Amino acid sequence: MDPNLLILGGTTEATALARAVAAAGIAGTFSYAGRVAQPKAQPLPLRVGGFGGPDGLAAWIRQSNVTHVIDATHPFASGMSRNAVAACAACGVPLVALTRPPWQAQPGDRWQHVPDIDRAVDALGERARRVFLAIGRMHLAEFARAPQHFYLLRLVDPPEGALPLPDRAVEVSRGPFTAEDDAALMRAHRIGVVVSKNSGGDGARAKIDAARRLDLPVVMIDRPDLPARHELHSVEAVLHWLDHASTDLGV
Ligand SMILES: NC(=O)c1ccc[n+]([C@@H]2O[C@H](COP(=O)([O-])OP(=O)(O)OC[C@H]3O[C@@H](n4cnc5c(N)ncnc54)[C@H](OP(=O)(O)O)[C@@H]3O)[C@@H](O)[C@H]2O)c1
C-alpha cells in the first residue's frame, strides 16, 4: 500500500518534514491545532482543529486511510501526543514522534528546574521581579496569582482581549530569534529572570543563550512525561523509518 501520512504539526520540525515528504512525492495530510491566526503554509493538504480526543483521532485515521502517523508537535503538546499514542495503538497504525532533544545546561547557566507551570510561578517568589515570560500565550493566566512581577511577554499574535497580568509589556514576534537581539531586549526591559519551557531546538534557544550572557537565572520548566513511543530526531531518520515501518509495525 502506498503511504498516506498524517503529520501532526505546529513546529519548525513538522514544516521541514512536510517539505521533505512533498518533495519525495509521498501523500499525506498536515494537521494544525489552529492556535495561531496565520499558520505557515504547507506543501501538503491541510486540516485545522482538534480531532475530538483519541477516539476522534482514531476515527479520522480510519476514515482517511492513514498508513503512518508522525507526531511532530511541540514537546509540551502532551495532550495531542498522548492521543496519538492511544489512537495509533487502537488502529494498528505505526507512529513515530519527531522530537528535539531537550536543552542541557552549559557552564555559566543558572537554571532552576521546575516540573510544571504552577511550580514556575512559585519559583518567582514573593518579591517583585522583572520576568521574561517566554512560554507562549496558553498558560499566562496561571501567572495571574503573582501580579507583583513585571512580565515581558513574547507572543506570535497580538493578544485578543484583556491579559490577566497587570504589569507587562508585549512583544509580538514569531522568531527565529538571535541571542544578541534577545540580550538587547532583556537589557531594555531590565529583566532579572527568564521563565522558559525546555523546548529544545535552535529556534527558541536564543533567550537561554542571552540569559547566560547576561548572567541571569532561568526558571526552566521540564518536559511533561509521555507514554513510551518511538522517537526520532531528524527528518532524514523519519523518511528512513517510513521505508521500513510498514513491515515493522509498532517500531
Ligand atoms: N505547547 C507549546 O508550548 C507549543 C509551542 C509551540 C507550538 N505548539 C503547537 O501548538 C499546537 C497546540 O499545542 P498545545 O500545547 O495546546 O497542545 P495540546 O495541549 O497537546 O493539545 C490540546 C488539544 O489540541 C488539539 N491539537 C493539538 N495539536 C494539534 C494538531 N497538530 N492538530 C490537530 N489538533 C491538535 C487536540 O485536540 P483534540 O483532542 O480535539 O484532538 C489536543 O488534544 C500543537 O500543534 C503544538 O505543536 C505548542
Side-chain angles (χ1 to χ4, degrees):
M1 201 189 339
D2 284 341
N4 179 27
L5 316 186
L6 172 61
I7 299 176
L8 302 168
T11 58
T12 48
E13 289 76 11
T15 298
L17 177 67
R19 254 188 244 123
V21 161
I26 301 170
T29 303
F30 192 99
S31 178
Y32 274 125
R35 298 280 194 272
V36 302
Q38 287 184 316
K40 277 193 189 131
Q42 298 295 341
L44 293 174
L46 262 191
R47 65 163 303 289
V48 180
F51 294 91
D55 294 344
L57 177 57
W60 200 93
I61 287 171
R62 288 197 187 99
Q63 276 157 22
S64 311
N65 297 315
V66 169
T67 58
H68 304 74
V69 176
I70 297 119
D71 178 1
T73 59
H74 191 271
F76 281 75
S78 55
M80 188 70 255
S81 293
R82 285 196 187 97
N83 292 353
V85 170
C88 288
C91 298
V93 165
L95 165 73
V96 72
L98 173 56
T99 60
R100 327 159 173 170
W103 296 316
Q104 304 293 335
Q106 297 180 21
D109 279 328
R110 296 170 56 199
W111 292 3
Q112 176 180 358
H113 289 274
V114 293
D116 54 33
I117 304 258
D118 213 32
R119 296 286 83 76
V121 182
D122 292 342
L124 293 176
E126 295 298 319
R127 182 178 52 86
R129 301 173 83 181
R130 296 186 67 83
V131 183
F132 185 16
L133 187 55
I135 59 163
R137 83 183 150 90
M138 298 300 290
H139 295 280
L140 298 181
E142 289 162 64
F143 287 83
R145 69 178 172 86
Q148 69 275 26
H149 307 301
F150 162 83
Y151 294 98
L152 171 62
L153 311 175
R154 181 154 60 198
L155 304 173
V156 174
D157 292 311
E160 284 172 7
L163 284 168
L165 308 171
D167 188 9
R168 89 268 158 168
V170 178
E171 274 277 311
V172 177
S173 178
R174 190 189 278 267
F177 309 104
T178 66
E180 289 72 26
D181 289 351
D182 274 7
L185 181 71
M186 291 187 212
R187 267 197 218 99
H189 288 275
R190 294 179 291 114
I191 294 300
V193 59
V194 176
V195 176
S196 174
K197 295 173 177 169
N198 194 338
S199 300
D202 295 331
R205 67 171 292 147
K207 57 183 177 281
I208 304 306
D209 294 336
R212 187 185 316 112
R213 286 182 195 187
L214 299 178
D215 195 27
L216 291 178
V218 175
V219 176
M220 184 62 80
I221 305 168
D222 290 332
R223 294 181 174 197
D225 288 332
L226 289 172
R229 59 197 180 147
H230 188 50
E231 290 194 36
L232 296 170
H233 297 315
S234 73
V235 166
E236 295 70 31
V238 172
L239 293 179
H240 184 257
W241 173 82
L242 281 171
D243 278 343
H244 299 88
S246 52
T247 53
D248 199 3
L249 257 182
V251 211

